[in-house]
Coordinates of all heavy atoms in Angstrom, one line a residue:
M160 N -190.5 68.2 147.3 CA -191.0 67.5 146.1 C -191.1 66.0 146.5 O -190.2 65.4 147.0 CB -190.0 67.7 145.0 CG -190.3 66.9 143.8 SD -189.1 67.3 142.5 CE -189.7 66.4 141.2
K161 N -192.3 65.4 146.3 CA -192.5 64.0 146.6 C -192.1 63.1 145.4 O -192.4 63.4 144.3 CB -194.0 63.8 146.8 CG -194.4 62.4 147.2 CD -195.8 62.3 147.4 CE -196.2 60.8 147.6 NZ -197.6 60.5 147.6
T162 N -191.4 62.1 145.8 CA -190.9 61.1 144.8 C -191.9 59.9 144.8 O -192.5 59.6 145.9 CB -189.5 60.6 145.0 OG1 -189.5 60.0 146.3 CG2 -188.5 61.7 144.9
N163 N -192.2 59.3 143.7 CA -193.1 58.2 143.6 C -192.3 56.9 143.3 O -191.4 56.9 142.5 CB -194.1 58.5 142.4 CG -194.9 59.7 142.7 OD1 -195.7 59.6 143.6 ND2 -194.8 60.7 141.9
L164 N -192.7 55.8 144.0 CA -192.1 54.6 143.8 C -192.6 54.0 142.5 O -193.9 53.9 142.3 CB -192.5 53.7 145.0 CG -191.9 52.2 144.9 CD1 -190.4 52.3 145.0 CD2 -192.5 51.5 146.1
I165 N -191.7 53.5 141.6 CA -192.1 52.9 140.4 C -191.5 51.5 140.4 O -190.3 51.3 140.5 CB -191.6 53.6 139.1 CG1 -192.2 55.0 139.1 CG2 -191.9 52.9 137.9 CD1 -191.7 55.9 138.0
L166 N -192.4 50.5 140.4 CA -192.0 49.1 140.6 C -191.9 48.4 139.2 O -192.3 47.3 139.1 CB -193.1 48.4 141.4 CG -193.3 49.0 142.8 CD1 -194.5 48.3 143.5 CD2 -192.1 48.9 143.6
A167 N -191.2 49.0 138.3 CA -190.9 48.5 137.0 C -189.7 49.1 136.4 O -189.4 50.3 136.7 CB -192.1 48.6 136.1
E168 N -188.9 48.3 135.6 CA -187.7 48.9 135.0 C -188.1 49.8 133.8 O -187.3 50.7 133.5 CB -186.8 47.8 134.6 CG -186.2 47.1 135.8 CD -185.2 46.1 135.4 OE1 -184.7 46.1 134.3 OE2 -184.9 45.2 136.3
K169 N -189.2 49.5 133.2 CA -189.7 50.3 132.0 C -190.9 51.1 132.4 O -191.7 50.7 133.2 CB -190.0 49.3 130.8 CG -188.8 48.5 130.4 CD -189.2 47.6 129.2 CE -188.0 46.8 128.8 NZ -188.3 45.9 127.7
S170 N -191.0 52.2 131.7 CA -192.2 53.0 131.9 C -192.6 53.7 130.6 O -191.8 53.8 129.7 CB -191.9 54.1 133.0 OG -191.0 55.0 132.5
V171 N -193.9 54.1 130.6 CA -194.4 54.7 129.4 C -195.5 55.7 129.8 O -196.2 55.5 130.8 CB -195.0 53.7 128.4 CG1 -196.2 52.9 129.0 CG2 -195.5 54.3 127.1
S172 N -195.6 56.8 129.1 CA -196.6 57.8 129.4 C -197.9 57.3 128.8 O -198.0 56.5 127.9 CB -196.3 59.2 128.9 OG -196.3 59.2 127.4
I173 N -199.0 57.8 129.3 CA -200.4 57.4 128.8 C -200.5 57.8 127.4 O -201.0 57.0 126.5 CB -201.5 58.0 129.7 CG1 -201.5 57.3 131.0 CG2 -202.8 58.0 129.0 CD1 -202.6 57.7 131.9
S174 N -200.0 59.0 127.0 CA -200.1 59.4 125.6 C -199.3 58.5 124.7 O -199.8 58.2 123.6 CB -199.7 60.9 125.4 OG -198.8 61.3 126.3
A175 N -198.1 58.1 125.1 CA -197.3 57.2 124.2 C -198.0 55.8 124.2 O -197.9 55.2 123.1 CB -195.9 57.1 124.8
L176 N -198.6 55.4 125.2 CA -199.2 54.1 125.3 C -200.4 54.1 124.3 O -200.6 53.1 123.6 CB -199.7 53.9 126.7 CG -200.5 52.5 126.9 CD1 -199.6 51.4 126.7 CD2 -201.1 52.5 128.3
R177 N -201.1 55.2 124.2 CA -202.3 55.3 123.2 C -201.8 55.1 121.8 O -202.6 54.5 121.0 CB -202.9 56.6 123.3 CG -203.7 56.8 124.6 CD -204.5 58.1 124.6 NE -205.0 58.3 125.9 CZ -204.9 59.4 126.6 NH1 -204.3 60.5 126.1 NH2 -205.5 59.6 127.8
N178 N -200.6 55.5 121.4 CA -200.2 55.4 120.0 C -199.9 53.9 119.6 O -200.2 53.6 118.4 CB -198.8 56.1 119.8 CG -199.0 57.6 120.0 OD1 -200.1 58.2 119.8 ND2 -197.9 58.3 120.4
N179 N -199.4 53.1 120.5 CA -199.1 51.7 120.1 C -199.1 50.8 121.3 O -198.1 50.4 121.8 CB -197.8 51.6 119.3 CG -197.6 50.2 118.8 OD1 -198.4 49.3 118.9 ND2 -196.4 50.0 118.2
P180 N -200.3 50.5 121.9 CA -200.3 49.8 123.2 C -199.8 48.4 123.1 O -199.2 47.9 124.1 CB -201.8 49.8 123.5 CG -202.5 50.1 122.3 CD -201.6 50.9 121.4
A181 N -199.9 47.7 122.0 CA -199.5 46.3 121.9 C -198.0 46.1 122.1 O -197.6 45.1 122.6 CB -199.8 45.8 120.5
Q182 N -197.2 47.1 121.8 CA -195.7 47.0 122.0 C -195.3 46.9 123.5 O -194.2 46.5 123.8 CB -195.0 48.1 121.3 CG -195.0 49.4 122.0 CD -194.2 50.5 121.2 OE1 -194.0 50.3 120.0 NE2 -193.8 51.5 121.9
Y183 N -196.2 47.3 124.4 CA -195.8 47.3 125.8 C -196.2 46.0 126.6 O -195.9 45.9 127.7 CB -196.4 48.5 126.5 CG -195.9 49.8 125.8 CD1 -196.6 50.5 124.9 CD2 -194.6 50.2 126.2 CE1 -196.1 51.7 124.3 CE2 -194.0 51.4 125.5 CZ -194.8 52.1 124.7 OH -194.3 53.2 124.1
F184 N -197.0 45.2 125.9 CA -197.4 43.9 126.6 C -196.3 42.9 126.4 O -196.1 42.3 125.3 CB -198.7 43.4 126.0 CG -199.9 44.2 126.4 CD1 -200.4 45.1 125.5 CD2 -200.4 44.1 127.6 CE1 -201.5 45.9 125.8 CE2 -201.5 44.9 128.0 CZ -202.0 45.8 127.1
G185 N -195.5 42.6 127.4 CA -194.4 41.7 127.3 C -194.2 40.9 128.5 O -195.2 40.7 129.3
N186 N -193.0 40.4 128.7 CA -192.7 39.5 129.9 C -192.2 40.3 131.1 O -191.8 39.7 132.1 CB -191.7 38.5 129.5 CG -192.2 37.5 128.5 OD1 -193.4 37.2 128.5 ND2 -191.3 37.0 127.6
E187 N -192.2 41.6 131.0 CA -191.9 42.5 132.2 C -192.9 43.5 132.4 O -193.6 44.0 131.4 CB -190.5 43.2 131.8 CG -189.3 42.3 131.6 CD -188.1 43.1 131.3 OE1 -188.2 44.3 131.2 OE2 -187.1 42.5 131.0
P188 N -193.2 43.9 133.6 CA -194.2 44.9 133.9 C -193.7 46.3 133.3 O -192.5 46.5 133.3 CB -194.3 45.0 135.4 CG -193.0 44.4 135.9 CD -192.5 43.4 134.9
V189 N -194.6 47.1 132.9 CA -194.3 48.4 132.4 C -195.2 49.4 133.2 O -196.4 49.2 133.3 CB -194.7 48.6 130.9 CG1 -194.4 50.0 130.4 CG2 -193.8 47.5 130.1
A190 N -194.6 50.4 133.8 CA -195.3 51.4 134.6 C -195.9 52.4 133.6 O -195.2 52.9 132.7 CB -194.3 52.1 135.5
V191 N -197.2 52.7 133.8 CA -197.9 53.6 133.0 C -197.9 54.9 133.8 O -198.5 54.9 134.9 CB -199.3 53.2 132.6 CG1 -200.0 54.2 131.8 CG2 -199.2 51.8 131.9
L192 N -197.4 56.0 133.2 CA -197.3 57.2 134.0 C -198.3 58.3 133.5 O -198.5 58.4 132.3 CB -195.9 57.8 133.8 CG -194.7 56.9 134.2 CD1 -193.4 57.6 134.0 CD2 -194.9 56.4 135.6
N193 N -198.9 59.0 134.4 CA -199.8 60.1 134.1 C -199.2 61.3 134.9 O -199.2 61.3 136.1 CB -201.2 59.8 134.6 CG -202.2 60.9 134.2 OD1 -201.9 61.6 133.3 ND2 -203.3 60.9 134.9
H194 N -198.7 62.3 134.1 CA -198.1 63.5 134.7 C -196.9 63.0 135.5 O -196.7 63.5 136.7 CB -199.0 64.3 135.5 CG -200.2 64.8 134.7 ND1 -200.0 65.8 133.7 CD2 -201.5 64.5 134.7 CE1 -201.2 66.1 133.2 NE2 -202.1 65.3 133.7
N195 N -196.1 62.1 135.0 CA -194.9 61.5 135.7 C -195.1 60.8 137.0 O -194.2 60.7 137.8 CB -193.8 62.6 135.8 CG -193.3 63.1 134.5 OD1 -193.1 62.3 133.6 ND2 -192.9 64.4 134.4
K196 N -196.3 60.4 137.2 CA -196.7 59.6 138.4 C -197.3 58.3 137.9 O -198.0 58.3 137.0 CB -197.7 60.4 139.3 CG -197.2 61.6 139.8 CD -198.2 62.3 140.7 CE -197.8 63.7 141.2 NZ -198.8 64.4 141.8
P197 N -196.9 57.2 138.6 CA -197.5 55.9 138.2 C -199.0 55.9 138.3 O -199.5 56.1 139.4 CB -196.8 54.9 139.1 CG -196.0 55.7 140.1 CD -196.0 57.1 139.8
A198 N -199.7 55.5 137.2 CA -201.1 55.4 137.2 C -201.5 54.0 137.3 O -202.7 53.6 137.6 CB -201.7 56.1 136.0
G199 N -200.6 53.1 136.9 CA -200.9 51.7 136.8 C -199.7 50.9 136.2 O -198.7 51.5 135.9
Y200 N -199.9 49.6 136.0 CA -198.9 48.8 135.4 C -199.5 47.9 134.3 O -200.6 47.5 134.5 CB -198.2 47.9 136.5 CG -197.5 48.7 137.5 CD1 -198.1 49.3 138.6 CD2 -196.1 49.0 137.3 CE1 -197.4 50.0 139.5 CE2 -195.4 49.8 138.2 CZ -196.0 50.3 139.3 OH -195.3 51.1 140.2
L201 N -198.8 47.7 133.3 CA -199.1 46.8 132.2 C -198.3 45.5 132.3 O -197.1 45.6 132.5 CB -198.9 47.4 130.8 CG -199.8 48.4 130.3 CD1 -199.3 49.0 129.0 CD2 -201.2 47.9 130.1
V202 N -198.9 44.4 132.2 CA -198.2 43.1 132.0 C -198.8 42.3 130.9 O -199.9 42.4 130.6 CB -198.2 42.3 133.4 CG1 -197.5 43.0 134.5 CG2 -199.6 42.0 133.8
G203 N -197.9 41.5 130.3 CA -198.4 40.6 129.2 C -199.2 39.4 129.8 O -199.2 39.2 131.1
A204 N -199.9 38.7 129.0 CA -200.8 37.6 129.4 C -200.0 36.5 130.2 O -200.4 36.1 131.2 CB -201.5 37.0 128.3
A205 N -198.8 36.1 129.7 CA -198.0 35.1 130.3 C -197.6 35.5 131.6 O -197.7 34.7 132.6 CB -196.9 34.7 129.4
L206 N -197.1 36.7 131.8 CA -196.6 37.2 133.1 C -197.8 37.3 134.1 O -197.7 36.9 135.3 CB -196.0 38.5 133.0 CG -195.5 39.2 134.3 CD1 -194.5 38.3 135.0 CD2 -194.8 40.5 134.0
F207 N -199.0 37.8 133.6 CA -200.1 37.9 134.5 C -200.6 36.5 135.0 O -200.9 36.3 136.2 CB -201.3 38.6 133.7 CG -202.5 38.7 134.6 CD1 -202.6 39.7 135.5 CD2 -203.6 37.9 134.5 CE1 -203.7 39.9 136.4 CE2 -204.7 38.1 135.3 CZ -204.7 39.1 136.2
E208 N -200.6 35.5 134.0 CA -201.0 34.1 134.5 C -200.0 33.6 135.5 O -200.4 32.9 136.4 CB -201.0 33.2 133.2 CG -202.2 33.6 132.3 CD -202.1 32.9 130.9 OE1 -201.2 32.1 130.7 OE2 -203.0 33.3 130.1
E209 N -198.7 33.8 135.3 CA -197.7 33.4 136.3 C -197.9 34.0 137.6 O -197.8 33.4 138.7 CB -196.3 33.6 135.8 CG -195.2 33.0 136.6 CD -195.2 31.5 136.7 OE1 -195.7 30.9 135.7 OE2 -194.8 31.0 137.7
M210 N -198.3 35.3 137.6 CA -198.5 36.0 138.9 C -199.7 35.5 139.6 O -199.7 35.3 140.8 CB -198.7 37.5 138.6 CG -197.4 38.2 138.2 SD -197.7 39.9 137.5 CE -198.5 40.7 138.8
V211 N -200.8 35.1 138.9 CA -202.0 34.6 139.4 C -201.7 33.2 140.0 O -202.1 32.9 141.2 CB -203.1 34.5 138.4 CG1 -204.3 33.7 138.9 CG2 -203.6 35.9 138.0
K212 N -200.9 32.4 139.3 CA -200.5 31.1 139.9 C -199.7 31.2 141.2 O -199.9 30.5 142.1 CB -199.6 30.3 138.8 CG -200.4 29.7 137.7 CD -199.4 29.0 136.7 CE -200.1 28.7 135.4 NZ -199.2 28.1 134.5
M213 N -198.8 32.2 141.2 CA -198.0 32.4 142.4 C -198.8 32.8 143.6 O -198.7 32.3 144.7 CB -196.9 33.4 142.1 CG -195.8 32.9 141.2 SD -194.6 34.2 140.7 CE -193.8 34.4 142.3
L214 N -199.8 33.7 143.3 CA -200.7 34.2 144.4 C -201.6 33.0 144.9 O -201.8 32.9 146.1 CB -201.5 35.4 143.9 CG -200.8 36.7 143.7 CD1 -201.7 37.7 143.0 CD2 -200.3 37.2 145.1
S215 N -202.1 32.2 144.0 CA -202.9 31.1 144.3 C -202.1 30.1 145.2 O -202.6 29.6 146.2 CB -203.4 30.4 143.1 OG -204.3 31.2 142.4
A216 N -200.9 29.9 144.8 CA -200.0 28.9 145.6 C -199.7 29.5 147.0 O -199.8 28.8 148.0 CB -198.7 28.7 144.9
L217 N -199.5 30.8 147.1 CA -199.3 31.5 148.4 C -200.5 31.4 149.2 O -200.5 31.0 150.4 CB -198.9 32.9 148.2 CG -198.6 33.8 149.4 CD1 -197.5 33.1 150.2 CD2 -198.4 35.2 149.1
E218 N -201.7 31.6 148.7 CA -202.9 31.5 149.4 C -203.2 30.1 149.9 O -203.6 29.9 151.0 CB -204.1 32.0 148.6 CG -204.2 33.5 148.4 CD -205.3 33.9 147.4 OE1 -206.0 33.0 146.9 OE2 -205.5 35.1 147.3
E219 N -202.9 29.1 149.1 CA -203.1 27.7 149.5 C -202.1 27.4 150.6 O -202.5 26.7 151.6 CB -202.8 26.8 148.3 CG -203.9 26.8 147.3 CD -203.6 26.0 146.0 OE1 -202.7 25.1 146.1 OE2 -204.3 26.2 145.1
S220 N -200.9 27.8 150.5 CA -199.9 27.5 151.6 C -200.4 28.2 152.9 O -200.2 27.6 154.0 CB -198.5 27.9 151.2 OG -198.4 29.3 151.2
Q221 N -200.9 29.4 152.8 CA -201.4 30.1 154.0 C -202.6 29.4 154.6 O -202.8 29.3 155.8 CB -201.7 31.6 153.7 CG -200.5 32.4 153.4 CD -199.5 32.5 154.5 OE1 -199.9 32.6 155.7 NE2 -198.2 32.5 154.2
A222 N -203.5 28.9 153.7 CA -204.7 28.1 154.2 C -204.2 26.9 154.9 O -204.9 26.5 155.9 CB -205.6 27.8 153.0
V223 N -203.2 26.2 154.4 CA -202.8 25.0 155.1 C -202.2 25.3 156.5 O -202.5 24.7 157.5 CB -201.7 24.2 154.2 CG1 -201.0 23.2 155.0 CG2 -202.3 23.7 153.0
I224 N -201.4 26.3 156.5 CA -200.8 26.8 157.8 C -202.0 27.1 158.8 O -201.9 26.8 159.9 CB -199.9 28.0 157.7 CG1 -198.6 27.5 156.9 CG2 -199.5 28.6 159.0 CD1 -197.7 28.7 156.4
G225 N -203.0 27.9 158.3 CA -204.1 28.3 159.1 C -204.9 27.1 159.7 O -205.4 27.2 160.8
R226 N -204.9 26.0 159.0 CA -205.7 24.8 159.4 C -205.0 24.2 160.6 O -205.7 23.5 161.4 CB -205.8 23.8 158.3 CG -207.0 24.2 157.3 CD -207.2 23.1 156.4 NE -206.8 23.6 155.0 CZ -206.3 23.0 154.1 NH1 -205.9 21.8 154.2 NH2 -206.0 23.6 152.9
F227 N -203.7 24.4 160.8 CA -203.0 23.7 161.9 C -202.8 24.6 163.1 O -202.2 24.1 164.0 CB -201.6 23.2 161.4 CG -201.7 22.1 160.4 CD1 -201.4 22.3 159.0 CD2 -202.2 20.9 160.7 CE1 -201.5 21.3 158.1 CE2 -202.3 19.8 159.8 CZ -201.9 20.0 158.5
Q228 N -203.4 25.7 163.1 CA -203.3 26.6 164.3 C -204.4 26.2 165.3 O -205.6 26.3 165.0 CB -203.4 28.0 163.9 CG -202.3 28.5 163.1 CD -202.4 30.0 162.6 OE1 -203.4 30.5 162.8 NE2 -201.3 30.5 162.2
P229 N -204.0 25.7 166.5 CA -205.0 25.3 167.4 C -205.8 26.5 168.0 O -205.2 27.6 168.1 CB -204.2 24.7 168.5 CG -202.8 25.2 168.4 CD -202.7 25.6 167.0
R230 N -207.0 26.3 168.3 CA -207.8 27.4 168.9 C -207.5 27.5 170.4 O -206.8 26.6 170.9 CB -209.3 27.0 168.8 CG -209.8 26.9 167.4 CD -211.3 26.4 167.4 NE -211.3 25.0 168.0 CZ -212.3 24.7 168.8 NH1 -213.3 25.5 169.1 NH2 -212.3 23.5 169.5
G231 N -207.8 28.6 171.0 CA -207.6 28.8 172.4 C -208.1 27.7 173.3 O -207.4 27.3 174.2
A232 N -209.3 27.2 173.0 CA -209.8 26.2 173.8 C -209.0 24.9 173.7 O -208.8 24.2 174.7 CB -211.3 25.9 173.3
D233 N -208.5 24.6 172.5 CA -207.6 23.4 172.3 C -206.3 23.6 173.1 O -205.9 22.6 173.7 CB -207.3 23.3 170.8 CG -208.5 22.9 170.0 OD1 -209.5 22.4 170.5 OD2 -208.4 23.2 168.7
L234 N -205.7 24.8 173.1 CA -204.5 25.0 173.9 C -204.8 24.8 175.4 O -204.0 24.2 176.1 CB -203.9 26.3 173.5 CG -203.3 26.5 172.2 CD1 -202.9 28.0 171.9 CD2 -202.1 25.6 172.0
A235 N -205.9 25.4 175.8 CA -206.3 25.3 177.2 C -206.4 23.8 177.6 O -206.0 23.3 178.7 CB -207.6 26.0 177.5
E236 N -207.0 23.0 176.8 CA -207.2 21.6 177.1 C -205.9 20.8 177.1 O -205.6 20.0 178.0 CB -208.1 20.9 176.0 CG -208.5 19.5 176.3 CD -209.4 18.9 175.2 OE1 -210.1 19.6 174.5 OE2 -209.4 17.7 175.1
L237 N -205.0 21.2 176.2 CA -203.7 20.6 176.2 C -202.9 20.9 177.5 O -202.2 20.1 178.1 CB -202.9 21.0 175.0 CG -203.3 20.4 173.6 CD1 -202.5 21.1 172.5 CD2 -203.0 18.9 173.7
C238 N -203.0 22.2 177.9 CA -202.3 22.6 179.1 C -202.9 21.9 180.3 O -202.1 21.4 181.2 CB -202.5 24.1 179.3 SG -201.5 25.1 178.2
K239 N -204.2 21.7 180.4 CA -204.8 21.0 181.5 C -204.4 19.5 181.5 O -204.0 19.0 182.6 CB -206.3 21.1 181.4 CG -207.0 20.4 182.6 CD -208.5 20.6 182.6 CE -209.2 19.9 183.8 NZ -208.5 18.9 184.5
K240 N -204.3 18.9 180.4 CA -203.9 17.5 180.3 C -202.4 17.4 180.8 O -202.1 16.5 181.5 CB -204.0 16.9 178.9 CG -205.4 16.6 178.5 CD -205.5 16.1 177.2 CE -207.0 15.8 176.8 NZ -207.1 15.3 175.4
G241 N -201.6 18.3 180.4 CA -200.2 18.3 180.8 C -200.1 18.5 182.3 O -199.3 17.8 182.9
A242 N -200.8 19.4 182.8 CA -200.8 19.7 184.3 C -201.3 18.5 185.0 O -200.6 18.1 186.1 CB -201.6 20.9 184.6
D243 N -202.3 17.8 184.6 CA -202.8 16.6 185.2 C -201.7 15.5 185.2 O -201.5 14.8 186.2 CB -204.1 16.1 184.5 CG -205.3 17.0 184.8 OD1 -205.2 17.8 185.7 OD2 -206.3 16.9 184.0
L244 N -201.1 15.3 184.0 CA -200.0 14.3 184.0 C -198.9 14.7 184.9 O -198.3 13.7 185.6 CB -199.5 14.2 182.5 CG -200.4 13.6 181.5 CD1 -199.9 13.7 180.1 CD2 -200.6 12.1 181.9
M245 N -198.5 15.9 185.1 CA -197.5 16.3 186.0 C -197.9 15.9 187.5 O -197.0 15.5 188.2 CB -197.2 17.8 185.9 CG -196.5 18.2 184.6 SD -194.8 17.6 184.4 CE -194.0 18.7 185.6
L246 N -199.1 16.2 187.8 CA -199.6 15.9 189.2 C -199.6 14.4 189.4 O -199.5 14.0 190.6 CB -201.0 16.5 189.4 CG -201.0 18.1 189.4 CD1 -202.5 18.6 189.5 CD2 -200.2 18.6 190.6
E247 N -199.9 13.6 188.4 CA -200.0 12.2 188.6 C -198.7 11.5 188.5 O -198.5 10.3 188.9 CB -200.9 11.6 187.5 CG -202.3 12.0 187.6 CD -203.1 11.6 186.4 OE1 -202.6 11.0 185.5 OE2 -204.3 12.1 186.3
A248 N -197.6 12.2 188.1 CA -196.3 11.6 188.0 C -195.7 11.2 189.3 O -195.9 11.9 190.3 CB -195.3 12.6 187.3
T249 N -195.0 10.1 189.4 CA -194.3 9.6 190.6 C -193.0 10.4 190.7 O -192.5 11.0 189.8 CB -194.0 8.1 190.5 OG1 -193.1 7.9 189.4 CG2 -195.3 7.3 190.2
Q250 N -192.4 10.2 192.0 CA -191.1 10.9 192.2 C -190.1 10.3 191.3 O -189.2 11.0 190.9 CB -190.7 10.6 193.7 CG -191.5 11.5 194.7 CD -191.0 12.9 194.6 OE1 -191.2 13.6 193.6 NE2 -190.6 13.4 195.7
E251 N -190.1 9.0 191.0 CA -189.2 8.4 190.1 C -189.3 9.0 188.7 O -188.2 9.3 188.1 CB -189.4 6.9 190.1 CG -188.4 6.1 189.3 CD -187.0 6.2 189.9 OE1 -186.8 6.3 191.2 OE2 -186.0 6.1 189.1
E252 N -190.5 9.2 188.3 CA -190.7 9.8 186.9 C -190.2 11.2 186.9 O -189.7 11.7 185.9 CB -192.2 9.7 186.5 CG -192.6 8.3 186.2 CD -194.1 8.2 186.1 OE1 -194.9 8.9 186.7 OE2 -194.5 7.3 185.3
M253 N -190.4 11.9 188.0 CA -190.0 13.3 188.0 C -188.5 13.5 188.1 O -188.0 14.6 187.8 CB -190.7 14.0 189.3 CG -192.2 14.2 189.1 SD -192.7 15.1 187.7 CE -192.2 16.7 188.1
K254 N -187.7 12.5 188.5 CA -186.3 12.6 188.5 C -185.7 12.9 187.1 O -184.7 13.5 187.0 CB -185.7 11.3 189.0 CG -185.6 11.2 190.5 CD -184.7 10.0 190.8 CE -185.2 9.2 192.0 NZ -184.3 8.1 192.3
H255 N -186.4 12.4 186.1 CA -186.0 12.5 184.8 C -186.4 13.9 184.1 O -186.0 14.2 183.0 CB -186.5 11.3 183.9 CG -186.0 10.0 184.5 ND1 -184.8 9.6 184.4 CD2 -186.8 9.0 185.0 CE1 -184.7 8.4 185.0 NE2 -185.9 8.0 185.4
F256 N -187.2 14.6 184.9 CA -187.7 15.9 184.4 C -186.8 17.0 184.9 O -186.5 17.0 186.1 CB -189.1 16.1 184.8 CG -189.6 17.4 184.4 CD1 -190.1 17.7 183.1 CD2 -189.7 18.5 185.3 CE1 -190.6 18.9 182.7 CE2 -190.2 19.7 184.9 CZ -190.6 19.9 183.6
A257 N -186.3 17.8 184.1 CA -185.4 18.9 184.6 C -185.8 20.2 183.7 O -186.1 20.1 182.5 CB -184.0 18.5 184.4
E258 N -185.7 21.3 184.4 CA -185.9 22.5 183.6 C -184.7 22.9 182.9 O -183.6 22.6 183.4 CB -186.2 23.7 184.7 CG -187.6 23.6 185.3 CD -187.9 24.8 186.1 OE1 -187.5 25.9 185.7 OE2 -188.6 24.6 187.1
S259 N -184.9 23.4 181.7 CA -183.7 23.8 180.9 C -183.6 25.3 180.8 O -184.4 26.0 181.1 CB -183.7 23.1 179.6 OG -184.9 23.2 179.0

């Protein structure tokens, strides 16, 4: 027997939902069941708006992180510059360099 994950503390059958749908729109999600399996979720307007704001903020934070990721060509150029600097370093400068 397969169990179904229900991501809400409250649930309602589709037939009960048809009788009085307005009572289920609140500040908590409500799982809508069809033959005891989740068919969807109901959320009130305020909760939905908050969820959209949270998703937008998450997308914006991911976009900012994405902008700071260097491309492969940028990394190759940085590595080359670093190698050139190491080759140009004097013995005196290299004394202060140590592997950790």
Side-chain angles (χ1 to χ4, degrees):
M160 178 177 180
K161 182 182 174 190
T162 59
N163 297 294
L164 180 64
I165 298 176
L166 301 173
E168 291 184 18
K169 297 179 182 179
S170 64
V171 62
S172 68
I173 287 181
S174 28
L176 178 66
R177 287 184 191 131
N178 293 335
N179 188 3
Q182 78 180 19
Y183 298 102
F184 290 102
N186 294 327
E187 296 178 3
V189 177
V191 179
L192 306 178
N193 184 21
H194 299 291
N195 291 325
K196 295 179 185 173
Y200 293 88
L201 284 175
V202 294
L206 178 58
F207 182 77
E208 289 167 6
E209 186 63 30
M210 290 168 59
V211 169
K212 285 179 191 175
M213 290 174 70
L214 288 172
S215 294
L217 179 63
E218 286 175 357
E219 286 176 19
S220 69
Q221 293 298 323
V223 169
I224 291 169
R226 282 187 242 144
F227 292 111
Q228 292 180 346
R230 298 174 301 139
D233 295 335
L234 288 174
E236 184 179 340
L237 286 171
C238 288
K239 183 175 179 343
K240 285 180 182 178
D243 290 344
L244 289 171
M245 292 289 288
L246 292 172
E247 294 170 5
T249 65
Q250 286 287 61
E251 186 63 29
E252 291 171 327
M253 290 303 288
K254 275 194 220 177
H255 303 292
F256 177 78
E258 287 187 36
S259 47

